[in-house]
């Protein structure tokens, strides 16, 4: 009697695992996620540490980082309406994530990915030296503008504050 019960429990666990695997594969296919093992995930289910670049003095959290062979590829998922192409700010965000991934994992990614969830549209953004120079120029311009104005936190939402990449250095963070 006991071995039959044990066999039944094992069979239910196996079927549950197979169902979960099928569900995950369907979700990845619906999102248009590239193949590879997810090694970093910044979602409600699995909040990861903020990536930080000392060289660029930049912090951020890509939605996913996938291992594809020797490469670590940042993936950013956009949930709003799908434009015909990614906006320049979205491209620069993807390039910033490439730089963060390079410094964190020690391997330069050949590209990053922007996924538009609503349509499943996927854009591959090449991480080239020219785009890296553009990132540095953009960061310089942003920092110059910040020095010209006094900036304070602009929200009263503890959830936004808790997810901020500057929380550990902010003297205005919410409790």
């Amino acid at each position: 009697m006991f071995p039959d019960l044990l066999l039944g429990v094992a069979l239910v666990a196996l079927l549950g695992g197979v169902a979960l695997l099928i569900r995950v594969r369907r979700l990845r296919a619906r999102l248009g996620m590239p193949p590879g093992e997810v090694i970093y995930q910044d979602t409600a289910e699995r909040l990861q540490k903020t990536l930080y670049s000392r060289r660029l003095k930049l912090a951020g959290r890509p939605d996913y980082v996938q291992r594809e062979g020797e490469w670590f590829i940042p993936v950013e998922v956009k949930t709003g309406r799908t434009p015909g192409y990614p906006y320049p700010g979205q491209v620069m965000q993807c390039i910033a994530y490439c730089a963060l991934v390079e410094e964190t994992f020690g391997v330069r990614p050949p590209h990053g990915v922007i996924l538009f969830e609503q349509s499943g549209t996927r854009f591959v953004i090449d991480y080239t030296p020219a785009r890296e120079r553009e990132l540095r120029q953009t960061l310089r311009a942003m920092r110059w503008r910040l020095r010209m104005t006094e900036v304070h936190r602009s929200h009263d939402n503890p959830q936004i504050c808790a997810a901020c990449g500057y929380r550990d250095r902010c003297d205005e963070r919410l409790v």
Side-chain angles (χ1 to χ4, degrees):
M1 180 79 167
F2 183 72
D4 290 338
L5 180 62
L6 194 56
L7 182 61
V9 169
L11 184 59
V12 168
L14 178 64
L15 290 174
V18 168
L20 183 61
L21 181 63
I22 290 169
R23 183 171 177 232
V24 167
R25 284 188 177 165
R26 284 183 181 160
L27 177 63
R28 286 177 66 120
R30 183 176 62 81
L31 287 174
M33 291 203 43
E37 173 192 2
V38 173
I39 61 164
Y40 175 99
Q41 181 177 341
D42 187 42
T43 62
E45 296 86 33
R46 191 170 133 194
L47 190 64
Q48 300 275 262
K49 71 178 179 106
T50 301
L51 303 183
Y52 182 72
S53 168
R54 291 187 194 286
R55 181 173 55 90
L56 296 172
K57 294 178 179 53
L58 179 68
R61 290 179 168 155
D63 290 321
Y64 299 94
V65 175
Q66 290 192 265
R67 183 181 197 123
E68 295 179 21
E70 66 186 82
W71 310 115
F72 297 91
I73 308 297
V75 179
E76 180 64 14
V77 179
K78 299 297 183 186
T79 56
R81 74 173 188 85
T82 304
Y85 52 87
Y87 297 121
Q90 294 169 331
V91 171
M92 196 51 47
Q93 179 185 22
C94 187
I95 295 302
Y97 288 152
C98 286
L100 291 169
V101 164
E102 178 179 13
E103 191 161 327
T104 300
F105 297 102
V107 177
R108 183 181 177 88
H111 62 269
V113 173
I114 300 173
L115 293 175
F116 288 92
E117 183 178 48
Q118 205 169 52
S119 68
T121 305
R122 175 179 183 249
F123 294 95
V124 174
I125 308 300
D126 291 332
Y127 183 44
T128 63
R131 284 210 165 125
E132 190 176 7
R133 282 190 299 277
E134 184 181 354
L135 172 63
R136 286 194 301 272
Q137 291 169 350
T138 300
L139 290 171
R140 275 194 297 276
M142 290 171 66
R143 288 175 179 137
W144 180 82
R145 286 186 188 118
L146 282 173
R147 281 193 301 274
M148 297 296 114
T149 58
E150 190 171 333
V151 178
H152 297 281
R153 65 179 168 82
S154 60
H155 62 82
D156 293 315
N157 185 330
Q159 291 176 324
I160 291 173
C161 183
C164 178
Y166 295 96
R167 180 173 172 70
D168 60 337
R169 296 179 291 286
C170 178
D171 58 357
E172 295 184 13
R173 66 181 171 266
L174 299 174
V175 178

